[in-house]
Amino acid sequence: MSQTIAQKIFACHAGKDKVEVDELVFAKLDMVLGTDVTVPLSVEVFRRMGAKEVFDPKKVVLVNDHFVPAKDLAAAGLSKTMREFAKEMGVFNYFEVGRSGICHVLLPDEGLVKPGDLIVGADSHTCTYGALGAFSTGIGSTDMAAAWAIGELWFRVPATIKVEVNGDLPEWVGGKDVALFIIGQLGVEGALYKTLEFTGNAISNLSMDGRFTLCNMAIEAGGKAGIVPPDKKTAEFMAQFPEIHYEPLLSDPDAEFIEEHVFDVSDLKLQVAKPYLPSNAVGVDEVKGIKVDQVVLGSCTNGRLSDYQMAADAMKGRSVHPDTRLIVIPSTRDVYLELLDSGLAEVFTEAGAVIGPPTCGPCIGGHMGILAENEVGLYTTNRNFVGRNGHPSSQVFLAGTAVAGATAVAGEIAHPDDI
Amino acid sequence: MEGTVFKYGDNVDTDVIIPARYCTSFHKEELAPHCLEDLDATFVNRVNKGDIIVGGRNFGCGSSRENAPLAILGAGVGAVVAESFARIFYRNSINVGLPIFECPEAVRAARESDRLRIDINKGEITNLTSGGSYTASPFPARIREIIDVGGFEEYVRRRLSEQQP
């Protein structure tokens, strides 16, 4: 029987030769990720389960990223619970504030995920690691507690939707634009319970950064996972971890896909998703001129060096508009150092941006940049639901980093060519 | 169970079910006063124990926060009926014991303030106001087994205690 990448990963983690779509399997986990906002509930459930130790301290990763540095007393308590649990369990991969960062940028850069892995995380954007050819998906806190206790979880083997993307991307257009365009085409529930497998020459040519952005957004189409078949670029990325051995898995040529879509992105416009759904994607021209109070540059979606470089290029040495605030959040310590080394930290600071510490803060309306009543934001993040980023009357437009840079300078939604 | 319908549309997301600004707590009593606050600020004042939320497609989309079904439970809601559920919300609801039913026909027929009766075990939904009867999609057998032992927490607890020498 021919199988997709997703089926192959579930088969080998469930100790089977093959699995059928919709089959329920218990599958062993390669990595279980938790953050300060989801771990404390898991710790409570873990104790109630009567568990004494985690299944493998090397396969648990705990990251301080959501409400850090602690936004208030309650948040401080969440991190404290996670810190103490990590010590008690001897968790190998515990990331403290200052040595931490936004988990979905951090884990690949730390060599904690690899092609062919089965990964779960108590964060919905765990689907990011599909960019490396892993099957990686979000779960809640009870599932995470169970995963810590027994090292496996139940899954319904998902059907796969094949999305073939062809053509050379125009100037300024990147992974975020492809992601928003696809979500616009499929809708926010277009891939519900399913895996999205991205193929085609535009994906082969897409950088690893762009692939992380694309797979990160799979959940915004309802997807259980987004996967890019591992290739030469994947191997180049993994080459920075020579000690890691892996077996790249590919879908068989005659594997069954529940749907197939083919898109040509040769003429793709820079995309902007209007409030209040990520699927409200339109070309930037349709929303040009809308006044913006705050631009947020960063997040697990667009928080890598090339993202900041693209934004700075789009700003063309100009200052942030007097009526607009630009918040730049390097996603990890390493990315922060790259911003310093490359001179981008200086460029943004001199332009009038504020550089914050690595955190999910403004993306979830937690802290470090909340929108006031009726304010408008343009964010490089992943969701623009009602109230997510601040007051329920505030509005967020989602875009890639080129539009973010241009918008920060123009004070209104803009294309870099307008600057 | 029997309750009054609070009907909402498609894509009721976890950010409106319980905004992240309240997710420094994961106790349902503390989350409950803010349940659906950004979507319907009057909800928590109007809802009575056992009432039923009826949503459209993709109910619970967005974040992995288990605080979302906990907030709904804390508000006293007896069940959620929707055309479809987002994946993580579906798992989380099973795990925290929030009864959920996928039943597009019942959703389309239900109007705000209708009275519904639900047989939780059989998945039978009766609209007492309009008289219609509907059957929700059954849970797959292995999920049913987990629900029947008292949820995933209890399932894991039993499995761990069996492993003890």
Side-chain angles (χ1 to χ4, degrees):
Chain A
M1 187 182 80
S2 296
Q3 300 201 97
T4 61
I5 297 177
Q7 282 173 289
K8 289 183 182 182
I9 292 177
F10 278 111
C12 73
H13 288 80
K16 297 178 166 213
D17 293 332
K18 59 190 179 189
V19 292
E20 307 272 356
V21 165
D22 284 342
E23 183 178 343
L24 266 136
V25 295
F26 265 89
K28 294 199 181 309
L29 304 165
D30 294 303
M31 195 59 76
V32 181
L33 159 72
T35 74
D36 49 303
V37 76
T38 49
V39 161
L41 173 55
S42 301
V43 171
E44 230 178 64
V45 176
F46 184 78
R47 308 242 192 252
R48 286 203 302 260
M49 286 169 171
K52 300 282 183 284
E53 53 192 12
V54 297
F55 76 110
D56 184 342
K58 288 187 175 166
K59 292 182 176 175
V60 173
V61 51
L62 302 175
V63 180
N64 280 289
D65 63 1
H66 276 64
F67 291 146
V68 300
K71 79 182 183 85
D72 55 22
L73 203 52
L78 296 178
S79 281
K80 185 168 183 242
T81 301
M82 183 163 80
R83 186 175 300 123
E84 290 171 352
F85 182 74
K87 277 214 173 106
E88 182 188 339
M89 295 294 147
V91 168
F92 223 69
N93 297 297
Y94 169 75
F95 290 93
E96 188 51 271
V97 174
R99 285 135 278 172
S100 188
I102 298 174
C103 55
H104 305 311
V105 180
L106 189 73
L107 265 61
D109 286 355
E110 292 286 331
L112 295 175
V113 288
K114 63 181 188 298
D117 274 359
L118 178 60
I119 301 153
V120 293
D123 185 277
S124 60
H125 293 104
T126 301
C127 51
T128 308
Y129 318 126
L132 289 171
F135 191 98
S136 177
T137 193
I139 53 167
S141 292
T142 297
D143 275 335
M144 178 157 65
W148 289 341
I150 60 177
E152 56 181 52
L153 282 179
W154 64 267
F155 298 91
R156 183 157 72 182
V157 177
T160 297
I161 298 174
K162 183 173 168 181
V163 180
E164 185 180 322
V165 189
N166 295 314
D168 295 328
L169 288 173
E171 194 189 9
W172 299 112
V173 178
K176 182 64 161 289
D177 304 290
V178 175
L180 290 174
F181 171 74
I182 292 172
I183 296 161
Q185 295 295 308
L186 299 183
V188 285
E189 51 160 354
L192 201 55
Y193 305 122
K194 300 182 183 73
T195 300
L196 288 165
E197 185 173 323
F198 301 107
T199 66
N201 64 32
I203 304 300
S204 308
N205 293 331
L206 197 60
S207 65
M208 274 315 301
D209 287 1
R211 294 178 185 187
F212 284 124
T213 301
L214 178 62
C215 290
N216 173 274
M217 297 283 288
I219 178 73
E220 309 315 333
K224 184 167 185 170
I227 298 185
V228 173
D231 62 6
K232 196 164 146 270
K233 286 209 167 109
T234 321
E236 282 165 13
F237 182 88
M238 291 308 298
Q240 62 182 308
F241 311 106
E243 71 285 4
I244 297 179
H245 301 285
Y246 63 92
E247 194 185 338
L249 296 171
L250 299 174
S251 291
D252 292 321
D254 50 351
E256 270 189 48
F257 296 98
I258 193 164
E259 283 173 40
E260 295 190 36
H261 299 268
V262 182
F263 299 117
D264 189 305
V265 291
S266 309
D267 299 317
L268 186 67
K269 304 255 189 309
L270 285 169
Q271 299 286 298
V272 178
K274 298 189 288 186
Y276 288 101
L277 284 176
S279 57
N280 291 340
V282 296
V284 65
D285 292 347
E286 290 186 42
V287 284
K288 258 190 201 175
I290 294 175
K291 297 260 182 278
V292 170
D293 300 293
Q294 179 166 293
V295 175
V296 169
L297 180 56
S299 81
C300 61
T301 313
N302 283 116
R304 298 167 185 88
L305 180 65
S306 60
D307 292 315
Y308 303 100
Q309 186 64 59
M310 175 85 96
D313 291 347
M315 290 171 74
K316 301 178 184 173
R318 306 262 301 270
S319 291
V320 176
H321 190 276
D323 296 331
T324 301
R325 313 174 296 265
L326 173 59
I327 298 176
V328 179
I329 301 201
S331 53
T332 63
R333 171 173 65 163
D334 285 354
V335 172
Y336 206 156
L337 288 169
E338 286 172 344
L339 289 193
L340 291 168
D341 286 348
S342 62
L344 286 171
E346 198 176 334
V347 168
F348 288 126
T349 307
E350 285 190 343
V354 63
I355 300 183
T359 179
C360 306
C363 175
I364 52 167
H367 66 330
M368 301 272 173
I370 307 296
L371 292 173
E373 191 171 3
N374 294 321
E375 281 195 324
V376 175
L378 184 129
Y379 285 28
T380 65
T381 58
N382 41 54
R383 286 187 185 133
N384 53 355
F385 299 147
V386 172
R388 176 167 172 94
N389 310 93
H391 194 278
S393 66
S394 64
Q395 297 193 332
V396 166
F397 292 80
L398 300 173
T401 53
V403 172
T407 299
V409 165
E412 56 187 42
I413 298 178
H415 189 290
D417 291 347
D418 303 332
I419 303 300
Chain B
M1 78 168 60
E2 205 180 300
T4 299
V5 168
F6 286 76
K7 190 165 183 183
Y8 302 101
D10 293 336
N11 307 312
V12 173
D13 63 79
T14 52
D15 281 295
V16 295
I17 295 172
I18 186 73
R21 59 184 179 273
Y22 303 118
C23 290
T24 49
S25 169
F26 49 85
H27 294 115
K28 56 180 187 252
E29 300 75 18
E30 291 170 8
L31 297 166
H34 306 291
C35 184
L36 290 172
E37 178 176 288
D38 288 352
L39 180 67
D40 176 359
T42 67
F43 170 77
V44 288
N45 295 325
R46 295 188 291 130
V47 70
N48 290 305
K49 195 162 171 49
D51 282 348
I52 294 161
I53 291 176
V54 174
R57 294 179 312 193
N58 202 24
F59 189 94
C61 62
S63 155
S64 69
R65 64 188 72 150
E66 208 157 289
N67 319 57
L70 285 174
I72 292 174
L73 269 181
V77 170
V80 181
V81 181
E83 291 188 55
S84 63
F85 290 93
R87 196 195 128 257
I88 309 177
F89 184 89
Y90 179 90
R91 289 184 79 107
N92 287 346
S93 297
I94 293 169
N95 287 342
V96 303
L98 172 67
I100 53 169
F101 299 94
E102 214 167 76
C103 190
E105 300 77 19
V107 169
R108 284 195 281 271
R111 286 163 307 176
E112 180 77 10
S113 303
D114 279 0
R115 293 287 293 175
L116 292 192
R117 179 183 293 153
I118 303 179
D119 181 324
I120 288 188
N121 292 321
K122 294 183 184 155
E124 286 172 4
I125 301 168
T126 310
N127 189 319
L128 300 172
T129 309
S130 68
S133 283
Y134 316 90
T135 306
S137 318
F139 289 105
R142 291 198 62 176
I143 297 178
R144 192 72 246 178
E145 285 169 27
I146 291 169
I147 294 171
D148 288 345
V149 299
F152 201 33
E153 184 181 316
E154 180 60 19
Y155 175 92
V156 174
R157 201 186 63 76
R158 288 185 189 193
R159 202 167 129 173
L160 290 174
S161 62
E162 279 162 19
Q163 283 169 5
Q164 307 282 325

